[in-house]
Amino acid sequence: MPSNTLSPPVPAAVLCGLAGWVPPRVVTNDELAERLDTDDAWIRTRTGIRRRHVAEPGQATSDLAVAAGRLALRSAGTDSVDAVIVTTTTPDRPCPATAPVVATRLGLAGAAAFDVGAVCTGFVYGLATAAGLIASGVARRVLLIGADTYSTIVDPLDRTNAIIFGDGAGAVVLRAGHADEPGAVGHFDLGSDGAHEELITVAAGGSRQRATGGEPTHAERHFAMRGKEVYRHAVTRMAASARTALSEAGWKTDDVDHFVPHQANLRILHSVADDLDLPRERCVANIDAVGNTGAASIPLALADAVARQRIRAGERLLLTAFGGGLTWGSCLLTWPELAPHL
Ligand code: COA
């Protein structure tokens, strides 16, 4: 080998398209209080949520994903990608994955298409997966969609969970580029702890419940969460993950212009910001208007903040998520010049 041979630089994944889409139907706290033993003041003070969007009967996750994906492609100014990743906890069916049908409906048949499951951390795991496809040369352009219809798995009479979750989809397009250009995603921290799988579950519908036999009960068919324990884990794991990503990048907390966390609960987001010594004003939150939208929450929060010019080109962002599994993850980027579609 000649000693002066240089290997080509590994391509970085650069964000070049962004969009969010929520179903039109809005459910306010007051509307929930008509059927649940709760009230607007309790929901607002405990969660920061005022309303959420809910899919129509018959509307599935792929429908939301297609809507967001189409707008993200438009924002990126492209109609072709090499891979489509859908990250969701509410796939259309247990089999097959949701991404192939989404790709085909977007006119992207032939592209690689698969789902990533990491519950509410899905979007950050999806970003890392897309970055890996681009770094390995498998893809030059990737459409990543976070989409969830929690209304299809939450028991509408469960007052603890029905108040928190909303439906929605957010999408980004990533292209091959250079690590030092605005929009390059990097310095990932990803983690998990399966010892706490019972904290967030849908017990039935998978091989565990089928292997043990018996008809699933009403409770087993619905989403269950041990809220107080989840709350504690969310604060400590998100703060730790954010710190790891910052130290990997050599950033100080003060270098972060905007902290864009998974929108779990406003109190969780503020506690994480406090733990990091980050002024709460730098925490981007749209949970009041959409609730917790699972894998869609970070791209929806980004699209909303960019559309309102709260986030501008050149500003430095820390994205951090936490979800069932348990799973958590963070990554950093400098915001690029781009026009989101909402
Ligand atoms: N309206 C009114 N009261 C309610 C209620 C509701 N919607 N939901 C629960 N309560 C009641 C409880 O029954 C309990 O009553 P009790 O003291 O008589 O037993 C009381 O309010 C306090 O319940 P608790 O569960 O301790 O409340 P909390 O302050 O922990 O808030 C959550 C509950 C679910 C909002 C909170 O635990 C939370 O946000 N957890 C994390 C959820 C999350 O972010 N999940 C996503 C992670 S990705």
Coordinates of all heavy atoms in Angstrom, one line a residue, residues 139-224:
A139 N -26.7 4.2 2.2 CA -27.6 5.2 1.7 C -27.0 6.5 1.6 O -26.1 6.9 2.4 CB -28.8 5.2 2.7
R140 N -27.4 7.3 0.6 CA -27.0 8.7 0.5 C -28.0 9.6 1.1 O -27.7 10.8 1.5 CB -26.8 9.1 -1.0 CG -25.7 8.3 -1.7 CD -24.3 8.7 -1.5 NE -24.1 10.1 -1.8 CZ -23.0 10.8 -1.3 NH1 -22.1 10.2 -0.6 NH2 -22.8 12.1 -1.7
R141 N -29.3 9.2 1.1 CA -30.4 10.0 1.6 C -31.4 9.1 2.3 O -31.8 8.1 1.8 CB -31.0 10.8 0.4 CG -31.6 12.1 0.8 CD -32.3 12.8 -0.3 NE -31.3 13.5 -1.1 CZ -31.4 13.6 -2.5 NH1 -32.5 13.1 -3.1 NH2 -30.6 14.3 -3.1
V142 N -31.8 9.5 3.5 CA -32.7 8.7 4.3 C -33.9 9.6 4.7 O -33.7 10.7 5.2 CB -32.0 8.2 5.5 CG1 -33.0 7.3 6.4 CG2 -30.8 7.3 5.2
L143 N -35.1 9.0 4.7 CA -36.3 9.6 5.2 C -36.6 8.9 6.6 O -36.8 7.7 6.6 CB -37.5 9.5 4.3 CG -38.9 9.9 4.9 CD1 -38.9 11.4 5.2 CD2 -40.0 9.6 3.9
L144 N -36.5 9.7 7.7 CA -36.8 9.1 9.0 C -38.1 9.7 9.5 O -38.2 10.9 9.6 CB -35.7 9.5 9.9 CG -35.9 9.2 11.4 CD1 -36.1 7.8 11.7 CD2 -34.8 9.8 12.3
I145 N -39.1 8.8 9.9 CA -40.4 9.3 10.3 C -40.6 8.7 11.7 O -40.6 7.5 11.9 CB -41.5 8.9 9.4 CG1 -41.2 9.3 7.9 CG2 -42.8 9.4 9.8 CD1 -42.2 8.7 6.9
G146 N -40.9 9.6 12.7 CA -41.4 9.2 14.0 C -42.9 9.3 14.0 O -43.4 10.4 13.8
A147 N -43.7 8.2 14.2 CA -45.1 8.3 14.1 C -45.8 7.4 15.1 O -45.3 6.3 15.3 CB -45.6 7.9 12.7
D148 N -46.8 7.9 15.8 CA -47.5 7.1 16.8 C -48.9 7.5 16.9 O -49.3 8.7 16.9 CB -46.8 7.3 18.2 CG -45.7 6.2 18.4 OD1 -46.0 5.0 18.2 OD2 -44.6 6.5 18.9
T149 N -49.8 6.5 17.1 CA -51.2 6.7 17.4 C -51.5 6.0 18.7 O -52.0 4.9 18.7 CB -52.1 6.1 16.2 OG1 -51.6 4.8 15.9 CG2 -52.1 7.0 15.0
Y150 N -51.1 6.7 19.8 CA -51.3 6.1 21.1 C -52.8 5.9 21.4 O -53.1 5.1 22.2 CB -50.6 7.0 22.2 CG -49.2 6.5 22.4 CD1 -48.1 7.0 21.7 CD2 -48.9 5.5 23.4 CE1 -46.8 6.6 21.9 CE2 -47.6 5.1 23.6 CZ -46.6 5.6 22.8 OH -45.3 5.1 23.0
S151 N -53.6 6.7 20.7 CA -55.1 6.6 21.0 C -55.5 5.2 20.6 O -56.6 4.7 21.1 CB -55.9 7.6 20.2 OG -55.7 7.4 18.8
T152 N -54.8 4.4 19.8 CA -55.2 3.0 19.5 C -54.8 2.0 20.5 O -55.2 0.9 20.5 CB -54.6 2.6 18.1 OG1 -53.2 2.6 18.2 CG2 -55.1 3.5 17.0
I153 N -53.9 2.4 21.5 CA -53.5 1.4 22.5 C -53.8 1.8 23.9 O -53.7 1.0 24.8 CB -52.0 1.0 22.4 CG1 -51.1 2.2 22.5 CG2 -51.7 0.3 21.1 CD1 -49.6 1.9 22.6
V154 N -54.1 3.1 24.1 CA -54.4 3.6 25.5 C -55.9 3.4 25.7 O -56.7 3.7 24.9 CB -54.0 5.1 25.6 CG1 -54.6 5.6 26.9 CG2 -52.5 5.3 25.6
D155 N -56.2 2.8 26.9 CA -57.6 2.6 27.3 C -58.2 4.0 27.5 O -57.8 4.8 28.3 CB -57.7 1.8 28.6 CG -59.1 1.6 29.1 OD1 -60.0 2.2 28.5 OD2 -59.2 0.9 30.1
P156 N -59.3 4.4 26.7 CA -59.8 5.7 26.8 C -60.4 6.0 28.2 O -60.6 7.2 28.6 CB -60.9 5.8 25.8 CG -61.2 4.4 25.3 CD -60.0 3.6 25.7
L157 N -60.6 5.0 29.0 CA -61.1 5.2 30.4 C -60.0 5.1 31.4 O -60.3 5.2 32.6 CB -62.2 4.1 30.7 CG -63.4 4.2 29.8 CD1 -64.4 3.2 30.2 CD2 -64.0 5.6 29.9
D158 N -58.7 5.1 31.0 CA -57.6 5.0 31.9 C -57.2 6.5 32.1 O -56.5 7.1 31.3 CB -56.5 4.2 31.3 CG -55.2 4.3 32.0 OD1 -55.1 5.1 33.1 OD2 -54.2 3.7 31.6
R159 N -57.5 7.1 33.3 CA -57.3 8.5 33.4 C -55.8 8.9 33.5 O -55.5 10.0 33.3 CB -58.1 9.1 34.6 CG -57.6 8.7 35.9 CD -58.3 9.4 37.0 NE -57.8 9.0 38.3 CZ -58.1 9.6 39.4 NH1 -58.9 10.7 39.4 NH2 -57.7 9.2 40.6
T160 N -55.0 8.0 34.0 CA -53.6 8.3 34.1 C -52.9 8.5 32.7 O -52.1 9.4 32.5 CB -52.8 7.2 34.9 OG1 -53.6 6.9 36.0 CG2 -51.4 7.7 35.3
N161 N -53.2 7.6 31.8 CA -52.6 7.6 30.5 C -53.3 8.4 29.4 O -52.7 9.0 28.5 CB -52.3 6.2 30.0 CG -51.2 5.5 30.8 OD1 -50.2 6.1 31.1 ND2 -51.5 4.3 31.3
A162 N -54.7 8.3 29.5 CA -55.5 9.0 28.4 C -55.2 10.5 28.4 O -55.3 11.1 27.4 CB -57.0 8.7 28.6
I163 N -54.8 11.1 29.5 CA -54.6 12.5 29.6 C -53.2 12.9 29.0 O -53.0 14.0 28.6 CB -54.6 13.0 31.0 CG1 -53.6 12.3 31.9 CG2 -56.0 12.9 31.6 CD1 -53.1 13.2 33.1
I164 N -52.3 11.9 28.9 CA -50.9 12.3 28.6 C -50.7 12.2 27.1 O -50.0 13.1 26.5 CB -49.9 11.3 29.3 CG1 -49.9 11.6 30.8 CG2 -48.5 11.4 28.7 CD1 -49.1 10.6 31.6
F165 N -51.2 11.2 26.4 CA -50.8 10.9 25.1 C -51.6 11.5 24.0 O -52.8 11.7 24.2 CB -50.7 9.4 24.9 CG -49.6 8.7 25.7 CD1 -49.8 8.2 26.9 CD2 -48.3 8.7 25.2 CE1 -48.8 7.6 27.7 CE2 -47.3 8.1 25.9 CZ -47.5 7.6 27.2
G166 N -50.9 11.8 22.9 CA -51.6 12.4 21.7 C -51.1 11.7 20.5 O -50.0 11.0 20.6
D167 N -51.7 11.8 19.3 CA -51.3 11.2 18.1 C -50.6 12.2 17.2 O -50.9 13.4 17.2 CB -52.5 10.6 17.3 CG -53.2 9.6 18.1 OD1 -52.6 8.9 19.0 OD2 -54.4 9.4 17.9
G168 N -49.6 11.7 16.4 CA -48.9 12.7 15.5 C -47.7 12.0 14.8 O -47.4 10.8 15.1
A169 N -47.2 12.7 13.9 CA -46.0 12.2 13.2 C -45.1 13.4 12.8 O -45.5 14.5 12.6 CB -46.4 11.6 11.9
G170 N -43.8 13.1 12.9 CA -42.8 14.1 12.6 C -41.7 13.4 11.7 O -41.5 12.2 11.9
A171 N -41.1 14.1 10.7 CA -40.2 13.5 9.8 C -39.1 14.4 9.5 O -39.2 15.6 9.5 CB -41.0 13.1 8.5
V172 N -37.9 13.8 9.2 CA -36.7 14.5 8.7 C -36.1 13.8 7.6 O -36.3 12.5 7.4 CB -35.7 14.7 9.8 CG1 -36.1 15.6 11.0 CG2 -35.2 13.3 10.4
V173 N -35.5 14.5 6.7 CA -34.6 13.9 5.6 C -33.2 14.2 6.0 O -32.8 15.3 6.4 CB -35.0 14.5 4.3 CG1 -34.1 13.9 3.2 CG2 -36.5 14.3 3.9
L174 N -32.4 13.1 5.9 CA -30.9 13.3 6.1 C -30.2 12.9 4.8 O -30.5 12.0 4.1 CB -30.5 12.3 7.3 CG -31.2 12.7 8.6 CD1 -31.7 11.4 9.2 CD2 -30.3 13.5 9.5
R175 N -29.1 13.7 4.5 CA -28.3 13.4 3.3 C -26.9 13.3 3.7 O -26.5 13.7 4.8 CB -28.5 14.6 2.3 CG -28.0 15.9 2.9 CD -27.8 16.9 1.8 NE -27.4 18.2 2.4 CZ -26.2 18.6 2.8 NH1 -25.2 17.8 2.6 NH2 -26.0 19.8 3.3
A176 N -26.1 12.6 2.8 CA -24.7 12.5 3.1 C -24.0 13.8 3.0 O -24.3 14.6 2.1 CB -24.1 11.5 2.1
G177 N -23.1 14.2 3.9 CA -22.4 15.4 3.9 C -21.2 15.4 4.8 O -20.7 14.3 5.1
H178 N -20.8 16.5 5.3 CA -19.6 16.6 6.1 C -19.9 16.9 7.6 O -20.9 17.6 7.9 CB -18.7 17.7 5.6 CG -18.2 17.5 4.2 ND1 -17.3 16.5 3.9 CD2 -18.7 18.0 3.1 CE1 -17.2 16.5 2.5 NE2 -18.0 17.4 2.0
A179 N -19.1 16.3 8.5 CA -19.4 16.4 9.9 C -19.3 17.8 10.4 O -20.0 18.1 11.4 CB -18.4 15.5 10.7
D180 N -18.6 18.7 9.7 CA -18.5 20.1 10.2 C -19.5 21.0 9.6 O -19.5 22.2 9.8 CB -17.1 20.6 10.1 CG -16.6 20.5 8.6 OD1 -17.4 20.1 7.8 OD2 -15.4 20.8 8.4
E181 N -20.5 20.5 8.8 CA -21.5 21.5 8.3 C -22.7 21.5 9.1 O -23.0 20.6 9.8 CB -21.8 21.2 6.8 CG -22.3 19.8 6.5 CD -22.7 19.7 5.0 OE1 -23.4 20.5 4.5 OE2 -22.2 18.7 4.4
P182 N -23.4 22.7 9.1 CA -24.6 22.8 9.9 C -25.6 21.7 9.5 O -25.7 21.4 8.3 CB -25.2 24.2 9.6 CG -24.0 24.9 9.0 CD -23.1 23.9 8.4
G183 N -26.3 21.1 10.5 CA -27.2 20.0 10.2 C -26.7 18.6 10.5 O -27.4 17.7 10.5
A184 N -25.3 18.5 10.6 CA -24.7 17.2 10.8 C -25.1 16.7 12.2 O -24.8 17.4 13.1 CB -23.2 17.3 10.6
V185 N -25.6 15.5 12.2 CA -26.0 15.0 13.6 C -24.9 14.1 14.1 O -24.2 13.4 13.3 CB -27.3 14.1 13.5 CG1 -28.5 15.0 13.2 CG2 -27.2 13.0 12.5
G186 N -24.6 14.2 15.4 CA -23.5 13.5 15.9 C -23.4 13.5 17.4 O -24.3 13.9 18.1
H187 N -22.3 12.9 17.9 CA -22.1 12.7 19.3 C -23.3 12.1 20.0 O -23.9 12.6 20.9 CB -21.7 14.1 19.9 CG -20.5 14.6 19.3 ND1 -19.2 14.1 19.6 CD2 -20.3 15.6 18.4 CE1 -18.3 14.8 18.9 NE2 -18.9 15.7 18.2
F188 N -23.6 10.9 19.5 CA -24.8 10.2 20.0 C -24.4 9.5 21.4 O -23.3 9.0 21.6 CB -25.2 9.1 19.1 CG -26.0 9.6 17.9 CD1 -25.3 9.8 16.7 CD2 -27.3 9.8 18.0 CE1 -26.0 10.3 15.6 CE2 -28.1 10.3 16.9 CZ -27.4 10.5 15.7
D189 N -25.4 9.5 22.2 CA -25.4 8.6 23.4 C -26.7 7.8 23.4 O -27.7 8.4 23.3 CB -25.3 9.4 24.7 CG -25.5 8.5 25.9 OD1 -24.6 7.7 26.1 OD2 -26.5 8.7 26.6
L190 N -26.6 6.5 23.3 CA -27.8 5.7 23.3 C -27.6 4.7 24.4 O -26.5 4.2 24.7 CB -27.9 4.9 22.0 CG -28.0 5.7 20.7 CD1 -28.2 4.7 19.5 CD2 -29.2 6.6 20.7
G191 N -28.7 4.3 25.1 CA -28.6 3.3 26.2 C -29.9 2.6 26.5 O -31.0 3.1 26.0
S192 N -29.9 1.6 27.3 CA -31.1 0.8 27.6 C -30.9 0.1 28.9 O -29.8 -0.1 29.4 CB -31.5 -0.2 26.5 OG -30.6 -1.3 26.6
D193 N -32.0 -0.3 29.6 CA -32.0 -1.1 30.8 C -33.3 -1.9 30.8 O -34.3 -1.5 31.3 CB -31.9 -0.2 32.0 CG -31.8 -1.0 33.3 OD1 -31.8 -2.3 33.2 OD2 -31.6 -0.4 34.4
G194 N -33.2 -3.1 30.3 CA -34.3 -4.0 30.2 C -34.8 -4.6 31.5 O -35.9 -5.2 31.6
A195 N -34.0 -4.4 32.6 CA -34.5 -4.8 33.9 C -35.8 -4.1 34.3 O -36.5 -4.6 35.2 CB -33.4 -4.6 34.9
H196 N -36.0 -3.0 33.6 CA -37.2 -2.2 34.0 C -38.3 -2.3 32.9 O -39.1 -1.3 32.7 CB -36.9 -0.8 34.3 CG -35.9 -0.6 35.4 ND1 -36.3 -0.8 36.7 CD2 -34.6 -0.4 35.5 CE1 -35.3 -0.7 37.5 NE2 -34.3 -0.4 36.8
E197 N -38.3 -3.4 32.1 CA -39.3 -3.5 31.0 C -40.7 -3.3 31.5 O -41.6 -2.9 30.7 CB -39.1 -4.8 30.2 CG -39.5 -6.0 31.0 CD -39.6 -7.3 30.1 OE1 -39.8 -7.1 28.9 OE2 -39.6 -8.4 30.6
E198 N -41.0 -3.7 32.7 CA -42.4 -3.7 33.2 C -42.9 -2.3 33.5 O -44.1 -2.2 33.7 CB -42.5 -4.6 34.5 CG -42.1 -6.0 34.4 CD -43.1 -6.8 33.4 OE1 -44.2 -6.3 33.2 OE2 -42.6 -7.8 32.8
L199 N -42.1 -1.3 33.4 CA -42.6 0.0 33.8 C -43.5 0.6 32.7 O -44.3 1.4 32.9 CB -41.4 1.0 34.0 CG -40.5 0.7 35.2 CD1 -39.5 1.8 35.5 CD2 -41.4 0.5 36.5
I200 N -43.2 0.2 31.4 CA -44.0 0.7 30.3 C -44.3 -0.5 29.4 O -43.3 -1.0 28.8 CB -43.3 1.8 29.5 CG1 -43.0 3.0 30.4 CG2 -44.0 2.2 28.2 CD1 -42.2 4.2 29.7
T201 N -45.5 -0.9 29.3 CA -45.8 -2.1 28.5 C -47.1 -2.1 27.8 O -48.1 -1.4 28.2 CB -45.8 -3.4 29.4 OG1 -46.8 -3.2 30.4 CG2 -44.5 -3.8 30.0
V202 N -47.2 -2.9 26.7 CA -48.5 -3.4 26.2 C -48.3 -5.0 26.4 O -47.5 -5.5 25.6 CB -48.8 -3.1 24.8 CG1 -50.1 -3.7 24.4 CG2 -48.9 -1.5 24.6
A203 N -48.9 -5.6 27.3 CA -48.6 -7.0 27.7 C -48.9 -8.0 26.6 O -48.2 -9.0 26.3 CB -49.2 -7.4 29.0
A204 N -50.1 -7.8 25.9 CA -50.5 -8.8 24.9 C -50.2 -8.4 23.5 O -49.8 -7.3 23.2 CB -52.0 -8.9 25.0
G205 N -50.3 -9.4 22.6 CA -50.1 -9.1 21.2 C -48.7 -9.5 20.6 O -48.5 -9.5 19.4
G206 N -47.8 -9.9 21.5 CA -46.5 -10.4 21.1 C -46.3 -11.8 21.5 O -47.2 -12.5 21.9
S207 N -45.1 -12.3 21.2 CA -44.8 -13.7 21.4 C -44.8 -14.1 22.9 O -45.1 -15.3 23.2 CB -43.5 -14.1 20.8 OG -42.4 -13.4 21.4
R208 N -44.5 -13.2 23.8 CA -44.5 -13.5 25.2 C -45.8 -14.0 25.7 O -46.0 -15.0 26.3 CB -43.9 -12.4 26.1 CG -44.0 -12.5 27.6 CD -43.2 -13.7 28.1 NE -41.8 -13.5 27.8 CZ -40.9 -14.5 27.6 NH1 -41.3 -15.8 27.7 NH2 -39.6 -14.3 27.3
Q209 N -46.8 -13.2 25.4 CA -48.2 -13.5 25.9 C -48.7 -14.7 25.1 O -49.3 -15.6 25.7 CB -49.1 -12.3 25.6 CG -50.5 -12.4 26.1 CD -51.4 -12.9 25.0 OE1 -51.2 -12.6 23.8 NE2 -52.5 -13.6 25.3
R210 N -48.4 -14.9 23.9 CA -48.9 -16.0 23.1 C -48.2 -17.3 23.6 O -48.8 -18.4 23.7 CB -48.6 -15.9 21.6 CG -49.6 -14.9 21.0 CD -49.4 -14.6 19.6 NE -50.0 -13.3 19.3 CZ -49.9 -12.7 18.1 NH1 -49.2 -13.3 17.1 NH2 -50.5 -11.6 17.9
A211 N -46.9 -17.2 24.0 CA -46.2 -18.4 24.4 C -46.7 -18.9 25.7 O -46.8 -20.1 26.0 CB -44.7 -18.0 24.6
T212 N -47.2 -18.0 26.6 CA -47.7 -18.4 27.9 C -49.2 -18.8 27.8 O -49.8 -19.4 28.7 CB -47.6 -17.3 29.0 OG1 -48.0 -16.1 28.4 CG2 -46.1 -17.2 29.4
G213 N -49.8 -18.5 26.6 CA -51.2 -19.0 26.4 C -52.3 -18.1 27.0 O -52.0 -17.2 27.8
G214 N -53.5 -18.5 26.7 CA -54.6 -17.8 27.4 C -55.0 -16.5 26.6 O -54.2 -15.9 25.9
E215 N -56.3 -16.2 26.7 CA -56.8 -15.0 26.1 C -56.4 -13.7 26.8 O -56.4 -13.7 28.1 CB -58.4 -15.0 26.1 CG -59.0 -15.9 24.9 CD -58.6 -15.3 23.6 OE1 -58.9 -14.2 23.3 OE2 -57.9 -16.1 22.8
P216 N -55.9 -12.7 26.2 CA -55.5 -11.5 26.9 C -56.7 -10.8 27.6 O -57.8 -10.8 27.0 CB -54.9 -10.6 25.8 CG -55.4 -11.1 24.5 CD -55.7 -12.6 24.7
T217 N -56.4 -10.3 28.7 CA -57.5 -9.5 29.4 C -57.5 -8.1 28.8 O -56.6 -7.7 28.0 CB -57.1 -9.3 30.9 OG1 -55.9 -8.6 31.0 CG2 -57.0 -10.7 31.6
H218 N -58.5 -7.3 29.2 CA -58.7 -5.9 28.7 C -57.4 -5.2 29.1 O -56.9 -4.4 28.2 CB -59.9 -5.3 29.4 CG -60.1 -3.9 29.1 ND1 -60.8 -3.5 27.9 CD2 -59.8 -2.8 29.7 CE1 -60.9 -2.2 27.9 NE2 -60.2 -1.7 28.9
A219 N -56.9 -5.3 30.3 CA -55.8 -4.6 30.7 C -54.5 -5.0 29.9 O -53.7 -4.1 29.5 CB -55.5 -4.8 32.2
E220 N -54.4 -6.2 29.6 CA -53.2 -6.7 28.9 C -53.2 -6.2 27.4 O -52.1 -6.1 26.8 CB -53.2 -8.2 28.9 CG -52.7 -8.8 30.2 CD -52.9 -10.3 30.3 OE1 -53.7 -10.9 29.4 OE2 -52.3 -11.0 31.1
R221 N -54.4 -5.9 26.9 CA -54.4 -5.4 25.5 C -54.1 -3.9 25.4 O -54.0 -3.4 24.3 CB -55.8 -5.7 24.9 CG -55.9 -7.2 24.4 CD -57.1 -7.4 23.6 NE -58.3 -7.7 24.5 CZ -59.3 -6.8 24.6 NH1 -59.3 -5.7 24.0 NH2 -60.3 -7.1 25.4
H222 N -54.0 -3.2 26.6 CA -53.8 -1.8 26.6 C -52.5 -1.4 27.1 O -51.9 -2.1 27.9 CB -55.0 -1.1 27.3 CG -56.3 -1.1 26.5 ND1 -57.2 -2.1 26.7 CD2 -56.7 -0.3 25.5 CE1 -58.2 -1.9 25.9 NE2 -58.0 -0.8 25.2
F223 N -52.1 -0.1 26.8 CA -50.9 0.4 27.3 C -50.9 0.6 28.8 O -51.9 1.1 29.4 CB -50.7 1.8 26.6 CG -49.5 2.6 27.0 CD1 -48.3 2.3 26.3 CD2 -49.5 3.5 28.0 CE1 -47.2 3.0 26.7 CE2 -48.4 4.2 28.4 CZ -47.2 4.0 27.7
A224 N -49.8 0.2 29.5 CA -49.8 0.4 30.9 C -48.5 1.1 31.3 O -47.4 0.8 30.7 CB -49.9 -1.0 31.6

